[in-house]
Amino acid sequence: MSDLRELYQQVILDHNRKPRNFGDLDGANRFAHGDNPLCGDKIQVLLKVDGDNIVQDVKFKGSGCAISTASASLMTEAIKGKTVVAALGLFDLFHEMVTSDLPEHELDPSLGKLGVFYGVREFPVRVKCASLSWHTVHAALTDSDAVVSTEA
Ligand code: ZN
């Protein structure tokens, strides 16, 4: 188990150092801002959703702690190419993973690499950091040009 924790740490550090899908997105048609005042994390999610409701591309901008940046990076990788319905389904699974007491071996396999955030449930303040990008993308996909705050 400690080897697994070590691996999780490595994935989070790697995505914080080299965030994937970071920057501007030409032709984006869904946006949302997210704010986690408790930690100071700020994020903007930009998406290009096509006529078939498939997330063709997704990028994020902003600044925050290692957990929020790594989570945003992994979130963009996870939802790119998925349908909006599938992306919202992943939001639900992620939210359940970090807020419930579901045992690790019962995690939905479709979470894949997102399972690295399983351990944040032990740190309530960090749950907000890890969830920020997911709440933000959820807002962007359900109500374009939305603003979310973890304080809400
Ligand atoms: Zn944070």
Side-chain angles (χ1 to χ4, degrees):
M1 196 50 123
S2 62
D3 285 352
L4 195 57
R5 291 272 176 260
E6 182 99 342
L7 176 70
Y8 287 1
Q9 287 287 346
Q10 292 302 327
V11 171
I12 290 170
L13 289 173
D14 175 53
H15 277 263
N16 177 50
R17 260 196 307 261
K18 292 177 291 179
R20 318 308 196 257
N21 304 308
F22 187 87
D24 277 308
L25 179 57
D26 286 340
N29 54 10
R30 309 275 184 108
F31 316 85
H33 286 274
D35 189 11
N36 176 20
L38 264 186
C39 177
D41 310 317
K42 287 183 190 301
I43 189 178
Q44 190 182 356
V45 173
L46 309 94
L47 301 124
K48 201 188 289 183
V49 177
D50 71 12
D52 295 323
N53 274 323
I54 291 167
V55 178
Q56 288 289 348
D57 208 353
V58 49
K59 296 262 182 111
F60 78 100
K61 299 196 286 188
S63 62
C65 66
I67 300 275
S68 70
T69 302
S71 181
S73 174
L74 282 153
M75 178 278 289
T76 59
E77 283 194 329
I79 69 163
K80 198 167 175 172
K82 289 213 163 46
T83 62
V84 168
V85 169
L88 293 174
L90 268 182
F91 165 87
D92 289 336
L93 290 173
F94 188 90
H95 193 253
E96 181 185 34
M97 174 178 72
V98 296
T99 57
S100 75
D101 50 12
L102 190 75
E104 193 162 12
H105 65 270
E106 285 180 23
L107 289 183
D108 192 295
S110 58
L111 280 165
K113 256 199 250 176
L114 300 171
V116 298
F117 293 102
Y118 177 81
V120 301
R121 61 170 67 187
E122 293 159 41
F123 310 97
V125 173
R126 290 304 182 195
V127 168
K128 296 196 170 191
C129 301
S131 314
L132 179 64
S133 61
W134 285 97
H135 283 292
T136 308
V137 80
H138 185 276
L141 289 174
T142 53
D143 174 19
S144 60
D145 206 20
V147 178
V148 296
S149 169
T150 55
E151 291 299 273

